[in-house]
Amino acid sequence: MKTNWPALKHGCLILASVALATSPMLAQTQEPAGGRKSAAVISSVAITQSPERAAVRVEGEGRLDVRTARMHSPDRLVLDFAGARLAVDKTVIPGLAAPVRGVRLGQYRPDVARVVIDLTAATPYQVSRDGGAVVISFDTSTVAPVNAPVKLPVVTSQTIEQARPEFQYGAPAPRKATHRNAHNLEISAPRFALPGELTQPSVALASFRGKNEPVRPDASSQEAAQQAIQQADTAANTLAATNANARVLAAATQAPAPGQTSAKYTGEPISVNLKDVDLRDFFRLIHEISGLNVVLDPAVKGSLTIVLDEVPWDQALDIVLQNNSLDKQLNGNVLRIATRATLKTEAETQRDLQRAQAEAVPPITVTRVLSYSKASGLVPTLKKFLSSRGDILADERSNQLIIRDIPSTIPIIDNLIHQLDRKSQQVEIEARVVSASRSFAEDIGTQLGFAGQTSSGRTVFGGTPQVGASGQHPDTPLNPPLIFTGTQVTGNGITNGLPLNTNFPAGLGTGGSGFLFSHRSSNFAIDFIITAAESKGVGKLLSKPKVITQNNEKAQIKQGTRIPIQTTINNTISVQYVDAVLKLEVTPQITAEGTIFMDVVVENTSIDTGIPRIQGIPALDTQAEETKVTVADGGTVVIGGVIISSQRVDIFQTPLVGSLPLIGNLFRRRSVTTQSQELLFFLTPRIIPG
């Protein structure tokens, strides 16, 4: 038998290579099986801090087998516990000081629990065991503390997380600012993990070579390790991010319509550059970023071209929805997207369905007794809240409301009745009415009569009887011309004396002053009389009515006379009365601050004697004022302005001569009359307790 040694040699090499390649895979496949037989449970993760050392302690039940891998940008340490599951309440634990910024926990795969330790810098670490616990220690001697604590606290996943304004460990890692050239603008790709990467297992992870020092991944497996750590970050934040994104989108959904500022958007910033992308692919992208379940209506279709840089993802979603006439509905962590027409049709259908279901219910009839409100006054208001099958009637005698409607409307009507049928507060209004009047009159007049004749007695000159006589007839033996002796009829009724040339006496009334100058001779006689009078008057009328009214109810006060007016219509005689009174109307309203708002109407009507009556009906003179004013409880407000003021100057004179300076005063009469009247109202409202 001849042996082919070269072929045998190559065959042995191939078998050895296959055996060496499959042994690690068999070890990895057998390890989870063993883990499933005795699955470990992580029950507690704690951070301890001391001046020289910081440590993360992971405790649980069963054996905790850990693999570590260090990653950069940002610096973090990833711990994978094969065959273990998480049983902790919190998935994010904030750090106390450098170098540990915080710890994030997540169930990476059903059989792998992942713990990510965020670091402030690349710090040496050691992995050790303390009984059944795994302790990862960091040397802090070369790292400056971020916030040196006074004591040495311990924060675990079971303690209550408190807000620390210095760090936001739940926020995404900071990004490096990118400065772009204006001539060469580039837009970065979306910064998130793709769905396929989330479902791929890690290719290479760091493994132990000893007890204390971890093994760094070599250059050939660096890319696979980077991908695995990105999956770890996403898996660790899946639970917390999904709930947080749901809250973010719910806040944006409840926000007002467009026109508001971007302060309402709190989602993680993203950068996208898409051209002619299907809308459904964009919404799949939103699902991967937010962790929300996205359901699309069949009518949602179209393409999308969008370029955004560092824009919150919820704002980007709103922009796309607005540009494509779409809208969203959020129910828990399920986001439904449909066209506005579809949502409008669904809302109208739902409304019609509810209305039809409500109208299908048999109506009932109830009665409600009112205590403070009038039943007839509430009917128009309550009818607006009834259904299309409802009706309401008012019984005036018992002051009850009879309501017939479907059962779901009755509680609404009862609540309105409870709010409206309440005891109203009362306001006492004390009014003081003051009418002040002033008058002044001055009258100065003259009378002049003279007569003369020539020495021969053939020429006589003097006044005329039609003007009047002076009434002066002195006892003198002279015989002046034109002297009346009591038988002549004159213009002023005086039958003796010298006939007057001018007769402008003052209207003395009941009294006055006068001055007489008289001269007699055989050929000449003169009588000059000056009369003057002056009067002043001041009047004051005071009344003090008081009235009590309810809140928002009008109170009215009248004082004066009612004038009867007789009219004849179709041979029927009727009598009507017109008020010539002083009237005050006040409507108080109590405000929430305890002040009183008043609507005030003041009217003063009197008979105008200066206008002649028409068929016995007098003319009325009216002064009115209407105002609205707010007064403190117990305060006083003055309402005036109803003022009547008149001034009259009358001059009676002889033409030409009466207009001469100085001398003209002897041939004229001057009368001055001034009158003023003012009406004042002093209102004092008071709220009556109880």
Side-chain angles (χ1 to χ4, degrees), residues 35 39-42 63-64 81-86 107 109-113:
V41 177
I42 298 176
R63 178 173 178 79
L64 299 178
F81 293 87
R85 60 182 180 87
L86 290 176
Q107 192 70 36
R109 289 202 302 264
D111 59 342
V112 176

Side-chain angles (χ1 to χ4, degrees), residues 47 49 92-103 118 155 164 167 169:
I47 302 175
Q49 186 75 32
V92 178
I93 303 174
L96 301 175
V100 179
R101 295 177 51 200
V103 177
D118 293 324
V155 179
R164 293 176 58 87
F167 296 98
Y169 294 115

Side-chain angles (χ1 to χ4, degrees), residues 141-162:
S141 59
T142 59
V143 179
V146 177
N147 185 10
V150 177
K151 297 182 179 181
L152 301 178
V154 177
V155 179
T156 67
S157 60
Q158 300 174 352
T159 59
I160 299 177
E161 180 180 359
Q162 299 180 352

Side-chain angles (χ1 to χ4, degrees), residues 94 147 179 259 384 451 458 569 589 622 628 645 668 671:
N147 185 10
H179 301 282
K384 299 181 181 299
R458 291 179 293 183
I569 301 176
Q589 178 181 341
T622 301
K628 295 177 175 63
S645 180
R668 68 185 175 189
S671 176

